[in-house]
Amino acid sequence: MDADAKGHQADRYDLQDRYLEITRQRLPAAAREGNWAVRYDHCFMRIILDHLFEACWYEHLDRRLRAYKQLNQQQLERAVAYGERMLAEGEPLVLEMNARSLTWRNP
């Protein structure tokens, strides 16, 4: 494996770690502090993943495997960006994104 490939793989692992930190720790903590209606890590993951595909995520990924490990570099970057935006804009954005996610699941 050349240096560029190793660097790309490291970036990918860093993005996966950031995605997990945002969805498992930071968003649930913000939700607890703000008493948000959406508060569980798996809900934040669903919302972000559904927005990546603009559809129910398991129509595009194998739901038997960890979804974030199946994402390519660009998708991971977008997932982290969605999570950071949710943190920055708070519950109003989370509720809006959740409503859209549920619409994709129940057309």
Side-chain angles (χ1 to χ4, degrees):
M1 184 181 288
D2 66 20
D4 283 344
K6 285 181 183 176
H8 180 76
Q9 192 67 19
D11 290 344
R12 181 175 171 72
Y13 291 142
D14 289 342
L15 286 168
Q16 288 177 350
D17 289 346
R18 284 176 57 201
Y19 170 77
L20 292 175
E21 177 190 354
I22 289 167
T23 57
R24 288 185 177 167
Q25 298 170 15
R26 294 178 64 199
L27 282 166
R32 279 190 306 275
E33 185 178 309
N35 199 31
W36 297 359
V38 177
R39 63 178 51 108
Y40 300 112
D41 62 353
H42 64 274
C43 297
F44 295 118
M45 291 177 185
R46 169 188 51 81
I47 293 167
I48 290 171
L49 292 168
D50 284 359
H51 275 77
L52 284 178
F53 297 102
E54 296 184 352
C56 179
W57 69 265
Y58 49 78
E59 293 174 6
H60 299 270
L61 301 175
D62 186 340
R63 58 191 295 196
R64 296 170 296 173
L65 304 174
R66 295 183 188 265
Y68 73 93
K69 289 188 174 189
Q70 299 176 67
L71 301 177
N72 64 34
Q73 183 84 10
Q74 181 183 29
Q75 290 166 331
L76 281 167
E77 290 169 357
R78 288 179 50 225
V80 168
Y82 276 128
E84 289 174 344
R85 184 171 167 222
M86 292 164 77
L87 282 166
E89 296 186 33
E91 187 179 30
L93 177 64
V94 171
L95 292 176
E96 176 184 323
M97 291 177 71
N98 184 50
R100 176 163 282 172
S101 170
L102 295 175
T103 299
W104 285 322
R105 291 166 171 267
N106 302 301

